[in-house]
Each structure stands twice: as C-alpha cells, then as structure tokens.
Amino acid sequence: MPSHTVSVTGWGRTAPTAACLVRPRSYEEAVAAVRECGARGGIARGLGRAYGDAAQNAGGAVLDMTGLDRVHVIDATPAVTDGSAGGTVLCDAGVSLHRLMEVLLPLGWFVPVTPGTRYVTVGGAIGADIHGKNHHVSGSFSRHVVSFELLTADGEIRTVRRGTPLFDATTGGMGLTGVILTATVRLEPVETSLMSVDTERAADLDDLMARLTATDHRYRYSVAWIDLLARGAAMGRSVLTRGDHTPLAALPARARRRPLEFRPGRLPAAPSFVPEGLLGRTTVGLFNELWYRKAPRARTGELQKISTFFHPLDGVPHWNRVYGRGGFVQYQFVVGYGHEEALRRIVERISGHRCPSFLAVLKRFGDGDPGWLSFPVPGWTLALDIPANLPGLGAFLDELDDEVAGAGGRVYLAKDSRLRPELLDGMYPRLGEFRELRAQLDPRGVFTSDLSRRLGI
C-alpha cells in the first residue's frame, strides 16, 4: 500500500501540517493502515472539505478514504419501518455525495441531506454529522443513517446501528472513534431534478427573522444570504431563498422529456495565485451591494437545477483560492431560540468590525439529533467566511466565542480552526461521555488529529 509524506490542510488553507498520506483501496488495506499508524496515530480523510484541522494529523498518518468508493446496493423499495418513507443505499464511506447524485437521481432518489458542497464523502458526512438547508424539517445526516461499519483501534470491524452509544459518539465525532468503511443511508424520493424556488429580500435582520419564523414551515429547504457589512437601519439585510423538489406535473412539457437529468455546469477553476487582499472590505462591500440589489423583491416558482440551488460554488473548482495564500477562516455558530438578542449583538459586532464576508448565510435549525458532538441544536445558525489575514481577527473571534458561549450556543467543529479549548465543555455538554467512550475504545490514542490535540478532545 503506497504512502508518502505530504503537507495537509483544510479547505480554508490555514495551518498546514505534514503527515504520511496512506490511500487504502480495500478494507484489508484499511485495517493494515490502522494497525501500522505509529506513535502519532492516524485520522481518516475524505475530499478535504472540512475547513479547519479536523482531517490533519501532524507527524502521523492520514488515511485518504477516497479509494473506497463503491456503491454496493440500492434498495428502491419504500421503507416505513420507523415511520419515514424512502429507499436506501449501501455504499463505501469514500463515495461522494456528487457520485450518489449521479447514480441515484436518474432512479428518482436524492440524498436526504446535503451541505453547500456535494464534494464530501459519506464517511465525512457522518463524522461531521453534516446539515443542510432542510435541517428545520429533516435534521442532520445521521438521522437518515441506518447503520455503518466502523474500523476501530483494535483493528476490528464493527457493525454499528442507530440507538447505540457508539453510533451517537461517531455521528459528529470527527473521525475520533474509528474509520467508517461502509454505510447504509435512507434516501429521499423525487420526481425531477429541478427545484421550485421562491426568492425575496429582507430589509434588515429583524425582518429576516420574522419572515423565517412565520413561514419557514412551508418549505423543505431554506437559507438566507446576509450582508454583514451593512450597518444602521440596513444591518442584516438579506436575500432569502427557499424551495422544494419540483413535481413532474409542474414541469413545462419540454422539461418532462428528461425530468431526472443531472448535469451540473462548471466554470474555469480559480487561478492558483490570487493577490492577497483581493477580497477586502471594498471589493466585498461592492459585491454585497450588487448581490442584494439584483435579487428580486419577491419571486415565486422559479425552476432551478439542483446544482444551482444547493451547490453554486461547486461550479468553480478550487474557489477557496480566491482568498489568496493566507487562506480564510470559516466561522459558524448556533444560538438557541429565545437568544435572538445575542444573535443581533453578534451581527452588529461583525458589521461594526467590517468583516469582509461575501459567503455569509443564516438558517434555522430544527430538533437536534443524538450525536454527542453533533453541532445542530434548535436555534439560529450563522456561517461566514473571513480572510485569515484580517488584522485582529483572532481576538475578535475570541470575543464572538464568548458571546456564543454566554448564550448557551456552540461553534461547529467541522469548520473550526481556532476555538479555545476551555470553551468546549460548555458548548458540548456530552463531551465527557465522548471522552470516556473513546478512552475505552481507543486507549492508545490511535485515532487522533490536529483538532483533537488542539482542543483536548
């Protein structure tokens, strides 16, 4: 099994570290790789879309799981064993959501949850317990996982099912309980590969929250782009986009010829070198102004491709390069319902600090899932990208962390690259249980990462 030392970083391109990269192509090779990890341990890695250091392991091993990428079984028989309809797919953990869409959409099925990129693996989706625009309706990815096979530190492969402590520790556990090899995932039936989309503008943050609170229940998918440079009366002005899968009967006659076609478009890749400071306050401010003004005040029923609605940035390969060599920090937090004033204070502070973020989104979370380190809880979640070289950024984000923690909220570990470890226990109340199970399952610390060392998980 070939291996070589490489520099590894997250999608934010900050804090690279060197590790021995191993790419198993069979379950046997994966077992051998775990048993041979060495003193610095190892961590599984998919397509590298975790923004921070969750899939890095300085001086140790990183297991590139993308060589295990087979779709084994698709069961298209609707299942109602737990009250929810849908077929299932059994696949390797290294299969990407993009590949699943290519295979499943022509058969009338869609993945149950997708984040803002389809270039994540099924194993990564479970390890980070990803969420999407439908969390207020469908929960996070783990809610739709029936079972998975987990390679543990002793080199054994265990079948892990819902409702067990190991399932709940692994979903959201950032790869620290073992290496996921296969998973069985419940699917969403669809009649077409198009979305019916409603778009509207919100004048400010209060207007946005009122619209979301009053009408979000009508939509399966919902997200708001928010202008975090707007101040004063326009603070938090937003473009709200919501929709659902289009039924076949609603398509124009021409579109009904190929209702389940999946052909995402692609633009040229971002250049390998981008000058530092390209995405500064002036350029982002101009972009935000144009983006807000070009959005319709209210438009209903627009037909969009799945790729356009869910994954617009995937059309630009290596879009993370636009932040320059310094990279960027993605900061995502959630505060519970009833803490809207905390959200307003945070948005006001971001606006006052003039953080140049053109990829800022606000969503509502529904009921959380049982993962001990799963991020979503009922409340408001805000995610934003910030150039890493912004002066004073570290201290400013520390202040925001304090606001979030004070409101009983938490930050998302799959996107974190700089949280202070002393805040983690308060944000994730079941962290103690996670540590205890991990110590029993992996007493030698075989599975470790830069994130786990930094935060003392």
Side-chain angles (χ1 to χ4, degrees):
M1 179 171 39
S3 64
H4 57 286
T5 300
V6 297
S7 178
V8 182
T9 186
W11 191 246
R13 305 176 75 200
T14 59
T17 54
C20 179
L21 188 70
V22 184
R23 193 167 191 256
R25 293 185 177 274
S26 67
Y27 307 143
E28 292 78 13
E29 287 189 354
V31 170
V34 167
R35 288 176 172 169
E36 297 167 7
C37 272
R40 294 286 287 182
I43 193 72
R45 181 181 177 91
L47 289 167
R49 292 303 179 105
Y51 285 82
D53 52 3
Q56 298 175 215
N57 184 23
V62 169
L63 280 63
D64 177 352
M65 299 302 294
T66 57
L68 295 173
D69 61 353
R70 292 170 296 173
V71 177
H72 294 282
V73 179
I74 299 169
D75 183 354
T77 304
V80 292
T81 55
D82 66 349
S84 60
T88 60
V89 60
L90 168 62
C91 63
D92 286 343
V95 173
S96 69
L97 299 190
H98 173 81
R99 179 59 182 152
L100 286 183
M101 291 177 197
E102 287 184 321
V103 172
L104 296 171
L105 269 170
L107 303 176
W109 298 97
F110 190 60
V111 295
V113 171
T114 178
T117 175
R118 59 186 179 274
Y119 294 110
V120 296
T121 62
V122 169
I126 296 171
D129 201 13
I130 61 169
H131 55 271
K133 299 176 182 179
N134 59 340
H135 190 276
H136 63 292
V137 173
S138 302
S140 51
F141 196 85
S142 66
R143 185 177 300 183
H144 309 275
V145 176
V146 177
S147 64
F148 52 80
E149 288 185 307
L150 185 71
L151 170 58
T152 50
D154 54 8
E156 299 299 316
I157 298 175
R158 309 184 186 204
T159 298
V160 183
R161 302 189 186 280
R162 296 184 59 82
T164 63
L166 187 51
F167 187 98
D168 294 343
T170 302
T171 54
M174 305 310 298
L176 297 174
T177 61
V179 179
I180 298 169
L181 297 178
T182 70
T184 300
V185 182
R186 197 172 290 114
L187 304 172
E188 179 72 25
V190 295
E191 296 181 8
T192 75
S193 60
L194 292 173
M195 305 296 296
S196 180
V197 181
D198 294 352
T199 305
E200 59 190 288
R201 278 193 258 173
D204 55 38
L205 182 62
D206 288 337
D207 183 25
L208 172 63
M209 289 194 292
R211 290 173 188 245
L212 285 168
T213 300
T215 61
D216 233 20
H217 63 279
R218 302 176 188 169
Y219 298 88
R220 179 176 295 275
Y221 302 99
S222 176
V223 68
W225 169 87
I226 183 169
D227 183 358
L228 291 176
L229 285 175
R231 293 186 287 183
M235 186 191 78
R237 66 179 181 177
S238 310
V239 178
L240 179 56
T241 307
R242 297 182 285 189
D244 207 337
H245 299 280
T246 306
L248 182 63
L251 290 188
R254 184 175 181 180
R256 294 185 196 180
R257 299 172 187 169
R258 296 179 179 176
L260 292 165
E261 185 177 56
F262 180 61
R263 297 180 63 184
R266 286 174 74 85
L267 298 171
S272 58
F273 173 76
V274 175
E276 296 294 324
L278 177 65
L279 294 182
R281 293 181 175 113
T282 301
T283 53
V284 172
L286 178 60
F287 170 87
N288 287 0
E289 184 70 27
L290 293 174
W291 191 259
Y292 180 76
R293 290 190 178 277
K294 86 172 188 66
R297 293 186 181 276
R299 180 176 60 201
T300 60
E302 180 189 14
L303 295 182
Q304 292 184 6
K305 292 182 178 180
I306 275 176
S307 55
T308 301
F309 181 75
F310 289 107
H311 316 118
L313 287 175
D314 282 348
V316 183
H318 306 294
W319 64 263
N320 57 338
R321 294 174 181 171
V322 302
Y323 288 89
R325 290 180 178 173
F328 68 98
V329 172
Q330 171 134 143
Y331 185 69
Q332 183 169 6
F333 67 89
V334 58
V335 294
Y337 296 124
H339 293 276
E340 285 75 13
E341 282 304 318
L343 177 63
R344 289 188 187 93
R345 286 195 303 270
I346 292 170
V347 170
E348 187 172 16
R349 293 183 75 156
I350 295 170
S351 174
H353 197 76
R354 309 296 289 156
C355 287
S357 176
F358 75 97
L359 295 175
V361 296
L362 183 74
K363 292 181 290 194
R364 294 173 76 246
F365 280 159
D367 292 338
D369 289 289
W372 293 350
L373 299 187
S374 183
F375 169 65
V377 293
W380 303 92
T381 181
L382 177 65
L384 59 150
D385 293 348
I386 314 170
N389 58 8
L390 188 71
L393 179 61
F396 176 68
L397 292 181
D398 284 347
E399 294 173 2
L400 296 191
D401 289 340
D402 292 335
E403 284 269 14
V404 171
R410 58 180 59 163
V411 300
Y412 191 15
L413 297 182
K415 297 183 177 180
D416 177 60
S417 58
R418 27 74 44 210
L419 181 68
R420 288 168 289 160
E422 60 266 26
L423 295 179
L424 195 64
D425 286 82
M427 291 182 172
Y428 289 89
R430 303 196 72 175
L431 182 60
E433 295 173 72
F434 180 86
R435 288 182 175 130
E436 288 179 12
L437 185 143
R438 187 177 172 220
Q440 296 169 9
L441 198 65
D442 184 9
R444 296 184 295 116
V446 171
F447 297 113
T448 188
S449 65
D450 290 356
L451 177 141
S452 69
R453 290 193 193 95
R454 175 170 57 83
L455 293 177
I457 298 177

